């Protein structure tokens, strides 16, 4: 199985176990050493305190000093709904920039097919260019 398909299957399997009924969502990253790190968004009573589903996996990668190569986020309305692939928000794209422009992130498509794009493709005009850097 290809890296991207395996990462997708890992996060799908996790969602089915962690959220057997009702809403479900999770994110996963793959690291250069082959680790798959999975995270969820914490439940909060105040939406202003909410975090993206990917944050836990990103922090775990930092903690382990691992290089992230791939990222994916999925969610569903309930156990009968299709799992939707979510593009990383702008903040999570900025978080992925830490590991460089070649990091691949799964993106949303109309057909909900598994498509990964590099951060460089998602952010071709990244602000770091004014500092002489390039993703």
């Amino acid at each position: 199985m290809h890296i991207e398909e395996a990462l997708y299957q890992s996060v799908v399997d996790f969602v089915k176990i962690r959220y057997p009924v009702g809403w479900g969502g999770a994110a996963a990253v793959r690291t250069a050493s082959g680790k798959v790190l999975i995270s969820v968004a914490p439940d909060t009573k105040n939406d202003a305190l909410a975090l993206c589903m990917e944050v836990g996996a990103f922090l775990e990668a930092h903690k382990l000093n691992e290089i992230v190569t791939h990222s994916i986020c999925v969610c569903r309305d309930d156990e009968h709904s299709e799992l939707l692939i979510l593009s990383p928000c702008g903040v999570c794209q900025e978080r992925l920039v830490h590991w460089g422009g070649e990091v691949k992130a799964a993106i949303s498509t109309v057909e909900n097919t598994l498509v990964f794009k590099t951060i460089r493709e998602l952010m071709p005009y990244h602000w770091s260019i004014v500092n002489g850097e390039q993703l």
Side-chain angles (χ1 to χ4, degrees):
M1 188 180 303
H2 192 269
I3 289 170
E4 295 164 353
E5 293 164 342
L7 185 62
Y8 174 78
Q9 196 58 55
S10 294
V11 75
V12 166
D13 292 345
F14 178 86
V15 169
K16 289 177 183 176
I17 293 168
R18 174 64 174 82
Y19 301 101
V21 295
W23 180 91
V29 300
R30 185 178 189 280
T31 69
S33 71
K35 287 184 174 79
V36 172
L37 308 173
I38 298 175
S39 60
V40 299
D43 293 329
T44 62
K45 294 191 186 296
N46 180 340
D47 285 344
L49 303 174
L51 291 170
C52 298
M53 289 182 268
E54 299 98 324
V55 173
F58 295 165
L59 292 173
E60 187 74 6
H62 279 288
K63 180 184 87 175
L64 298 172
N65 201 28
E66 292 276 344
I67 296 168
V68 171
T69 62
H70 294 76
S71 180
I72 189 170
C73 187
V74 300
C75 76
R76 64 161 200 240
D77 287 332
D78 61 43
E79 68 274 19
H80 306 293
S81 301
E82 177 182 20
L83 271 163
L84 301 175
I85 299 166
L86 304 175
S87 296
C89 72
V91 173
C92 283
Q93 288 180 40
E94 284 290 342
R95 290 174 176 141
L96 287 168
V97 165
H98 173 77
W99 292 287
E102 292 303 313
V103 175
K104 292 184 176 182
I107 60 163
S108 302
T109 65
V110 173
E111 304 83 14
N112 196 42
T113 54
L114 187 62
V115 175
F116 280 76
K117 297 284 185 182
T118 66
I119 292 300
R120 184 174 293 114
E121 290 174 297
L122 295 177
M123 303 175 76
Y125 305 103
H126 189 262
W127 59 266
S128 62
I129 198 163
V130 301
N131 298 326
E133 301 171 28
Q134 200 154 11
L135 283 184

